Amino acid sequence: MKTMEDRLGSAMSRLLIFTIVATAILTGVIEYLSYFDQMKTEVRNEAGAIASVANTQGEAAINAALGESTGSRITFIDMDGTVLYDSYADAKTMENHYNRPEISAAREKGTGEQTRYSDTIGRRTYYYAIRLSDGKFLRVSEPLESAFSSLMRGFTLIGLFTAALLVFTLLFAKKLTKKIVEPLNGMNLEHPLCGEVYEELRPLLNRVDEQNNLIRAQEEATRRSHEEYMAITENMREGLIVTNMDEVLSVNNSAIRLFRVSREDVTGHGIITVSRRPEVMDAWKTAVSGSHYDGQFLMEGRTFEIFGNPVLIDGEIRGAVLLIMDVTEKARTETLRREFTANVSHELKTPLMSISGYAELIEQGMVRQEDLSGFAGRIRGESARLAALVEDIIHLSELDEMKEDSPKEDTDLLEIAEEARKSLALTAENRGVTLTVQGEPVVIRGIRQVLYEMVRNLMDNGIKYNKEGGSVKVTVGKDRDHAFIRTADNGIGIPDADIERIFERFYRVDKSHSRATGGTGLGLSIVKHAVQLHDGRIVVESKQGKGTIFTIFL
Ligand code: ADP
């Protein structure tokens, strides 16, 4: 593309060349015309002078001597047109001049003139004729070429001057162009209002500045919303995939981790590069066809929920957004809750059925008078079990409700253990089990009631699953940074296969034994919950027939 400098330069140069050459030509023409006029005047004057000499001194004055004294051609013509004398040629050889226009005019008006080509001298010539007093004619002529040649000298001078002028003006034009263009080249379009430029450009530069500000503001807004988008999507735990109708536009960190892909490998490619799972494909296809998708899939032992939604712009489907959430915990707690509800109903039903069975027998008079108190005792026992069960369920749901940040207080574990011992002393005695608490006072921050239930449940189990003459030793102490509380019994112990499951709700190694001792199968669930609530850890060591040690580190 041509530069402005080139264009301006060449336009200026052309204009200059045209102006100078036209001026030169015009000057030449004017010069020529004035020269021609001058020459004519000279010829006329000369002719006038010679004529007056001829009129006064007679025709003899017009002779070769006169012809030689002047540079002009002098011709003397008779009345009938015969050439009498010519200073350039032999008059005898010349044809009759009667009809020459200048002669005819002179015959009629006294003088005549014409410019034409002369056969005699072979040049364009200016002729001027005067009628003399005796009726003959005197003609003075000057060849034009001599006018040209003298003019050409002038022209050469004009030409040289013109050429010099041209060179100078062209150089000047180049410099001027540079100077005109310089501010334009030096214009800073980033900051158009800084710096000196032509006033004519001011509106344009103002507009550029406005546009710049607008673009900057738009860029800033785009950057901010992008940052916002990134901050949200990159820090969310859910996987997020945004696509247009053919390819993935963006995929967040969670989705990358989840599907073990790299951003480069999926961005700009089909959804299939993210995952080949049918649920992912279905979710995407459903979304791009304009519907909502909600499904689940299992991956590496975890449960995920996937949502697909269409992206609508101006009512037209332009792509899809897929959201993938890890719902393993939710699914697990839902299963647990379902199981728990089923278990609770079952557990509550058993004592209730017994109670209603016994009551029915009494009602129908099928129980003898002497057995009545025994039946009443069973009903009382089942009711106590029911009460214990309900109490444990309430405890557990209370623990479920509690959060890790529930208000805590300084609690001495030894004091709690001592309290629990006191409350269980009678039970232990009835079963022939010695219950002892030892150790040092250890104060931790915790929920007193929860810690108490925890210790009491462990001690209660130690007594329940024990033998006559057995013992339960509770030790409270500090192991490095952690407080611990340990209950060690020398009771029946737990089979290895069951150890893993004893913390499950309603799990009992030996149902009948548990029931006989008033167990609900919820005690250790409460313990586990209480430990979790205090960020603690529980260790079980047990040997069947030898005894069990529960150690809780807090
Ligand atoms: P339960 O109310 O039946 O005692 P828990 O949740 O407290 O329920 O205990 C679950 C099961 O773990 C019990 O049924 C029992 O079989 C076993 N168990 C708990 N503690 C002991 C222990 N100290 N010695 C032997 N078995 C125990």
Coordinates of all heavy atoms in Angstrom, one line a residue, residues 135-199:
G135 N 3.8 54.7 -57.0 CA 2.9 53.5 -57.3 C 3.6 52.2 -57.3 O 2.9 51.2 -57.3
K136 N 4.9 52.2 -57.2 CA 5.6 50.9 -57.0 C 5.6 50.5 -55.6 O 5.1 51.2 -54.7 CB 7.1 51.1 -57.5 CG 7.1 51.2 -59.0 CD 8.5 51.5 -59.5 CE 8.5 51.8 -61.0 NZ 9.7 52.4 -61.5
F137 N 6.1 49.3 -55.3 CA 6.0 48.8 -54.0 C 7.4 48.5 -53.4 O 8.2 47.9 -54.1 CB 5.1 47.5 -53.9 CG 3.7 47.7 -54.5 CD1 3.4 47.4 -55.8 CD2 2.8 48.3 -53.6 CE1 2.1 47.7 -56.3 CE2 1.5 48.5 -54.1 CZ 1.1 48.2 -55.4
L138 N 7.4 48.8 -52.1 CA 8.6 48.3 -51.3 C 8.2 47.3 -50.3 O 7.2 47.5 -49.6 CB 9.2 49.5 -50.6 CG 10.3 49.2 -49.6 CD1 11.6 48.8 -50.3 CD2 10.6 50.3 -48.6
R139 N 8.9 46.2 -50.3 CA 8.5 45.1 -49.4 C 9.7 44.7 -48.5 O 10.8 44.5 -49.0 CB 8.0 43.9 -50.1 CG 7.4 42.9 -49.2 CD 6.9 41.7 -50.0 NE 8.1 40.9 -50.4 CZ 8.0 39.7 -51.0 NH1 6.8 39.2 -51.3 NH2 9.1 39.0 -51.4
V140 N 9.5 44.8 -47.2 CA 10.6 44.4 -46.3 C 10.1 43.1 -45.6 O 8.9 43.0 -45.1 CB 10.9 45.5 -45.3 CG1 11.9 45.0 -44.3 CG2 11.3 46.7 -45.9
S141 N 10.9 42.1 -45.6 CA 10.5 40.8 -44.9 C 11.6 40.3 -44.0 O 12.8 40.6 -44.2 CB 10.1 39.8 -45.9 OG 11.2 39.6 -46.8
E142 N 11.2 39.6 -43.0 CA 12.1 39.0 -42.0 C 11.7 37.5 -41.9 O 10.6 37.2 -41.6 CB 12.0 39.8 -40.7 CG 12.9 39.3 -39.6 CD 14.3 40.1 -39.7 OE1 14.3 41.3 -40.1 OE2 15.2 39.4 -39.3
P143 N 12.7 36.6 -42.1 CA 12.3 35.2 -41.9 C 12.0 35.0 -40.4 O 12.7 35.4 -39.5 CB 13.5 34.5 -42.3 CG 14.6 35.5 -42.4 CD 14.1 36.8 -42.5
L144 N 10.9 34.2 -40.2 CA 10.5 33.9 -38.8 C 11.5 33.0 -38.0 O 11.6 33.1 -36.8 CB 9.1 33.3 -38.7 CG 8.0 34.2 -38.7 CD1 6.7 33.5 -38.6 CD2 8.1 35.2 -37.5
E145 N 12.1 32.2 -38.7 CA 13.0 31.3 -38.1 C 14.1 32.0 -37.2 O 14.4 31.5 -36.2 CB 13.7 30.4 -39.1 CG 13.0 29.0 -39.0 CD 13.4 28.1 -40.1 OE1 14.5 28.4 -40.8 OE2 12.7 27.1 -40.4
S146 N 14.5 33.1 -37.7 CA 15.4 33.8 -36.9 C 14.8 34.2 -35.6 O 15.4 34.3 -34.6 CB 16.0 35.0 -37.7 OG 14.9 35.9 -37.9
A147 N 13.5 34.5 -35.7 CA 12.8 34.8 -34.4 C 12.8 33.6 -33.5 O 13.1 33.7 -32.3 CB 11.3 35.2 -34.8
F148 N 12.5 32.4 -34.1 CA 12.5 31.2 -33.3 C 13.9 30.9 -32.7 O 14.0 30.6 -31.5 CB 12.2 30.0 -34.2 CG 10.7 29.7 -34.1 CD1 9.9 29.7 -35.2 CD2 10.2 29.4 -32.8 CE1 8.5 29.4 -35.1 CE2 8.8 29.1 -32.7 CZ 8.0 29.1 -33.8
S149 N 14.9 31.1 -33.5 CA 16.2 30.7 -33.0 C 16.6 31.6 -31.9 O 17.1 31.2 -30.8 CB 17.3 30.7 -34.1 OG 17.3 32.0 -34.7
S150 N 16.3 32.9 -32.0 CA 16.6 33.8 -30.9 C 15.7 33.5 -29.7 O 16.2 33.6 -28.5 CB 16.4 35.3 -31.3 OG 15.1 35.6 -31.5
L151 N 14.5 33.1 -30.0 CA 13.6 32.7 -28.9 C 14.1 31.4 -28.2 O 14.1 31.3 -27.0 CB 12.2 32.4 -29.6 CG 11.1 32.3 -28.6 CD1 10.9 33.7 -28.0 CD2 9.8 31.8 -29.2
M152 N 14.7 30.5 -29.0 CA 15.2 29.2 -28.5 C 16.3 29.5 -27.4 O 16.4 28.8 -26.4 CB 15.7 28.3 -29.6 CG 14.7 27.5 -30.2 SD 13.3 26.9 -29.2 CE 14.2 25.7 -28.3
R153 N 17.1 30.5 -27.7 CA 18.1 30.9 -26.7 C 17.5 31.2 -25.4 O 17.9 30.8 -24.3 CB 18.9 32.0 -27.2 CG 20.1 31.6 -28.1 CD 21.1 32.8 -28.3 NE 20.5 34.0 -28.8 CZ 20.3 34.2 -30.1 NH1 20.6 33.3 -31.0 NH2 19.7 35.3 -30.5
G154 N 16.4 32.1 -25.6 CA 15.6 32.4 -24.4 C 15.0 31.2 -23.7 O 15.1 31.0 -22.5
F155 N 14.5 30.3 -24.6 CA 13.9 29.1 -24.1 C 14.9 28.2 -23.3 O 14.6 27.7 -22.2 CB 13.3 28.3 -25.2 CG 11.9 28.6 -25.5 CD1 11.3 28.1 -26.6 CD2 11.1 29.3 -24.6 CE1 9.9 28.4 -26.9 CE2 9.8 29.6 -24.8 CZ 9.2 29.1 -26.0
T156 N 16.1 28.1 -23.8 CA 17.1 27.3 -23.1 C 17.3 27.9 -21.7 O 17.4 27.1 -20.8 CB 18.5 27.4 -23.9 OG1 18.2 27.3 -25.3 CG2 19.4 26.3 -23.5
L157 N 17.4 29.2 -21.7 CA 17.6 29.8 -20.4 C 16.5 29.5 -19.4 O 16.7 29.1 -18.3 CB 17.7 31.4 -20.6 CG 18.7 32.0 -19.7 CD1 20.1 31.6 -20.1 CD2 18.6 33.5 -19.8
I158 N 15.3 29.7 -20.1 CA 14.1 29.4 -19.2 C 14.1 27.9 -18.8 O 13.8 27.6 -17.7 CB 12.8 29.7 -20.0 CG1 12.6 31.2 -20.2 CG2 11.5 29.1 -19.3 CD1 11.5 31.6 -21.2
G159 N 14.4 27.0 -19.8 CA 14.5 25.6 -19.5 C 15.4 25.3 -18.4 O 15.1 24.6 -17.5
L160 N 16.7 25.9 -18.5 CA 17.7 25.6 -17.4 C 17.2 26.1 -16.1 O 17.2 25.4 -15.1 CB 19.0 26.3 -17.8 CG 19.9 25.6 -18.7 CD1 21.1 26.5 -19.1 CD2 20.3 24.3 -18.2
F161 N 16.6 27.3 -16.1 CA 16.1 27.9 -14.9 C 14.9 27.0 -14.3 O 14.9 26.7 -13.1 CB 15.6 29.3 -15.1 CG 15.0 30.0 -13.9 CD1 15.9 30.4 -12.9 CD2 13.7 30.2 -13.8 CE1 15.3 30.9 -11.7 CE2 13.1 30.7 -12.6 CZ 14.0 31.1 -11.6
T162 N 14.1 26.6 -15.3 CA 12.9 25.7 -14.9 C 13.4 24.4 -14.2 O 12.9 24.0 -13.2 CB 12.1 25.4 -16.1 OG1 11.8 26.6 -16.8 CG2 10.8 24.6 -15.7
A163 N 14.5 23.8 -14.9 CA 15.0 22.6 -14.4 C 15.6 22.8 -13.0 O 15.3 22.0 -12.0 CB 16.1 22.0 -15.3
A164 N 16.3 23.9 -12.8 CA 16.9 24.1 -11.5 C 15.8 24.4 -10.5 O 15.8 23.8 -9.3 CB 17.8 25.4 -11.6
L165 N 14.8 25.1 -10.9 CA 13.7 25.4 -10.0 C 13.0 24.1 -9.6 O 12.6 23.9 -8.5 CB 12.7 26.3 -10.8 CG 11.7 27.0 -9.9 CD1 12.4 28.0 -9.0 CD2 10.6 27.8 -10.7
L166 N 12.8 23.2 -10.7 CA 12.2 22.0 -10.4 C 12.9 21.1 -9.3 O 12.3 20.6 -8.4 CB 12.1 21.2 -11.7 CG 10.7 21.2 -12.4 CD1 10.8 20.4 -13.7 CD2 9.7 20.6 -11.4
V167 N 14.2 21.0 -9.5 CA 15.0 20.2 -8.6 C 14.8 20.8 -7.2 O 14.6 20.1 -6.2 CB 16.5 20.2 -9.0 CG1 17.4 19.6 -7.9 CG2 16.7 19.5 -10.3
F168 N 14.9 22.1 -7.1 CA 14.9 22.8 -5.8 C 13.5 22.6 -5.2 O 13.4 22.2 -4.0 CB 15.2 24.3 -6.0 CG 14.9 25.1 -4.7 CD1 15.8 25.0 -3.7 CD2 13.8 25.9 -4.6 CE1 15.6 25.7 -2.5 CE2 13.5 26.6 -3.4 CZ 14.4 26.5 -2.4
T169 N 12.4 22.8 -6.0 CA 11.1 22.7 -5.5 C 10.8 21.3 -5.1 O 10.0 21.0 -4.1 CB 10.0 23.2 -6.4 OG1 10.3 22.7 -7.7 CG2 10.0 24.7 -6.5
L170 N 11.3 20.3 -5.9 CA 11.0 18.9 -5.6 C 11.6 18.5 -4.3 O 11.0 17.8 -3.4 CB 11.5 18.0 -6.7 CG 10.6 18.0 -7.9 CD1 11.2 17.0 -9.0 CD2 9.2 17.5 -7.6
L171 N 12.8 19.0 -4.1 CA 13.5 18.7 -2.8 C 12.7 19.3 -1.6 O 12.4 18.7 -0.6 CB 14.9 19.3 -2.8 CG 15.9 18.5 -3.5 CD1 17.3 19.2 -3.6 CD2 16.1 17.1 -2.9
F172 N 12.3 20.6 -1.9 CA 11.5 21.3 -0.9 C 10.2 20.6 -0.6 O 9.8 20.4 0.5 CB 11.2 22.7 -1.4 CG 10.5 23.6 -0.4 CD1 11.1 24.0 0.7 CD2 9.2 23.9 -0.7 CE1 10.4 24.7 1.7 CE2 8.5 24.7 0.2 CZ 9.1 25.1 1.4
A173 N 9.5 20.1 -1.7 CA 8.3 19.4 -1.6 C 8.4 18.1 -0.8 O 7.6 17.8 0.1 CB 7.8 19.0 -3.0
K174 N 9.6 17.4 -1.0 CA 9.8 16.2 -0.2 C 10.0 16.5 1.3 O 9.4 15.8 2.1 CB 11.2 15.6 -0.7 CG 11.2 14.1 -0.5 CD 12.4 13.5 -1.2 CE 12.8 12.2 -0.7 NZ 11.8 11.2 -0.7
K175 N 10.7 17.6 1.5 CA 10.9 18.0 2.9 C 9.6 18.4 3.6 O 9.3 18.0 4.7 CB 11.9 19.2 2.9 CG 13.1 18.9 3.8 CD 13.9 20.1 3.9 CE 14.6 20.1 5.3 NZ 15.9 20.6 5.2
L176 N 8.8 19.1 2.8 CA 7.5 19.7 3.3 C 6.6 18.5 3.6 O 5.9 18.5 4.6 CB 6.9 20.6 2.2 CG 5.8 21.5 2.7 CD1 6.3 22.5 3.7 CD2 5.1 22.1 1.5
T177 N 6.6 17.5 2.6 CA 5.7 16.4 2.8 C 6.1 15.7 4.1 O 5.2 15.3 4.9 CB 5.9 15.4 1.7 OG1 5.9 16.1 0.5 CG2 4.8 14.3 1.7
K178 N 7.4 15.5 4.3 CA 7.9 14.8 5.5 C 7.4 15.6 6.7 O 6.9 15.0 7.7 CB 9.4 14.8 5.5 CG 10.0 13.4 5.6 CD 11.4 13.5 5.8 CE 11.9 12.1 6.2 NZ 12.4 11.3 5.1
K179 N 7.5 16.9 6.7 CA 7.1 17.7 7.8 C 5.6 17.6 8.1 O 5.2 17.6 9.2 CB 7.5 19.2 7.5 CG 8.1 19.8 8.7 CD 8.6 21.1 8.4 CE 8.6 21.9 9.7 NZ 9.3 23.1 9.6
I180 N 4.8 17.5 7.0 CA 3.4 17.5 7.2 C 3.0 16.1 7.8 O 2.1 16.0 8.7 CB 2.7 17.6 5.8 CG1 2.8 19.1 5.3 CG2 1.2 17.3 5.9 CD1 2.4 19.3 3.9
V181 N 3.7 15.1 7.3 CA 3.3 13.7 7.7 C 3.8 13.4 9.1 O 3.3 12.5 9.8 CB 3.8 12.7 6.6 CG1 3.6 11.3 7.1 CG2 3.1 13.0 5.3
E182 N 4.9 14.0 9.4 CA 5.6 13.7 10.7 C 4.7 13.6 11.9 O 4.7 12.6 12.6 CB 6.7 14.7 11.0 CG 7.9 14.1 11.8 CD 9.1 15.1 11.7 OE1 8.9 16.2 12.2 OE2 10.1 14.6 11.2
P183 N 3.9 14.6 12.2 CA 3.0 14.6 13.3 C 2.0 13.4 13.2 O 1.6 12.8 14.3 CB 2.2 15.9 13.3 CG 2.9 16.7 12.3 CD 3.7 15.9 11.4
L184 N 1.7 13.0 12.0 CA 0.7 11.9 11.8 C 1.4 10.6 12.2 O 0.8 9.8 12.9 CB 0.2 11.8 10.4 CG -0.6 13.0 9.9 CD1 -1.0 12.8 8.5 CD2 -1.8 13.2 10.7
N185 N 2.7 10.5 11.7 CA 3.4 9.3 12.1 C 3.7 9.2 13.6 O 3.7 8.1 14.1 CB 4.8 9.3 11.3 CG 4.6 8.9 9.9 OD1 3.5 8.3 9.5 ND2 5.5 9.3 9.0
G186 N 3.9 10.3 14.2 CA 4.3 10.3 15.6 C 3.1 10.3 16.5 O 3.2 10.4 17.7
M187 N 1.9 10.1 15.9 CA 0.7 10.1 16.7 C 0.6 8.9 17.6 O 0.9 7.8 17.1 CB -0.5 10.1 15.8 CG -1.6 11.1 16.1 SD -2.5 11.6 14.7 CE -3.2 10.1 14.1
N188 N 0.3 9.1 18.9 CA 0.1 7.9 19.8 C -1.3 7.6 20.0 O -2.1 8.3 20.6 CB 0.7 8.3 21.2 CG 0.7 7.2 22.1 OD1 0.1 6.1 21.8 ND2 1.3 7.4 23.3
L189 N -1.7 6.5 19.3 CA -3.2 6.2 19.3 C -3.7 5.6 20.6 O -4.8 5.6 20.8 CB -3.5 5.3 18.1 CG -3.5 6.0 16.7 CD1 -3.8 5.0 15.6 CD2 -4.4 7.2 16.7
E190 N -2.7 5.2 21.4 CA -3.1 4.7 22.7 C -3.5 5.9 23.6 O -4.5 5.8 24.4 CB -1.8 4.1 23.4 CG -1.6 2.7 23.0 CD -2.6 1.7 23.4 OE1 -2.9 1.7 24.6 OE2 -3.2 1.0 22.5
H191 N -2.8 7.0 23.4 CA -3.2 8.2 24.2 C -3.3 9.4 23.2 O -2.4 10.2 23.1 CB -2.1 8.6 25.2 CG -1.8 7.4 26.1 ND1 -2.7 7.1 27.2 CD2 -0.8 6.5 26.1 CE1 -2.2 6.0 27.8 NE2 -1.1 5.7 27.2
P192 N -4.4 9.3 22.4 CA -4.5 10.3 21.2 C -4.5 11.7 21.6 O -4.2 12.6 20.8 CB -5.7 9.8 20.5 CG -6.5 9.0 21.5 CD -5.5 8.5 22.5
L193 N -4.9 12.1 22.8 CA -5.0 13.5 23.2 C -3.7 14.1 23.7 O -3.6 15.3 23.9 CB -6.1 13.7 24.2 CG -7.5 13.2 23.7 CD1 -8.6 13.5 24.7 CD2 -7.9 13.9 22.4
C194 N -2.7 13.2 23.9 CA -1.4 13.7 24.3 C -0.7 14.1 23.0 O -0.8 13.3 22.0 CB -0.6 12.7 25.1 SG -1.5 12.1 26.5
G195 N 0.1 15.1 23.0 CA 1.0 15.4 21.9 C 0.3 16.4 20.9 O -1.0 16.5 21.0
E196 N 1.1 17.1 20.1 CA 0.6 18.1 19.2 C 0.2 17.5 17.9 O 1.0 16.8 17.3 CB 1.7 19.1 19.0 CG 1.9 20.1 20.2 CD 0.7 21.1 20.3 OE1 0.5 21.8 19.3 OE2 0.1 21.1 21.4
V197 N -1.0 17.7 17.4 CA -1.4 17.3 16.1 C -2.2 18.4 15.4 O -2.5 19.4 16.1 CB -2.2 16.0 16.1 CG1 -1.3 14.8 15.9 CG2 -3.0 15.8 17.3
Y198 N -2.6 18.1 14.2 CA -3.4 19.2 13.5 C -4.8 19.3 14.1 O -5.4 18.3 14.5 CB -3.6 18.8 12.0 CG -2.2 18.7 11.3 CD1 -1.8 17.4 10.9 CD2 -1.4 19.8 11.2 CE1 -0.5 17.3 10.3 CE2 -0.2 19.7 10.6 CZ 0.3 18.4 10.1 OH 1.5 18.3 9.5
E199 N -5.2 20.5 14.2 CA -6.5 20.8 14.8 C -7.6 20.1 14.0 O -8.6 19.7 14.6 CB -6.7 22.4 14.7 CG -7.7 22.9 15.7 CD -7.5 22.4 17.1 OE1 -6.3 22.4 17.6 OE2 -8.5 22.0 17.8

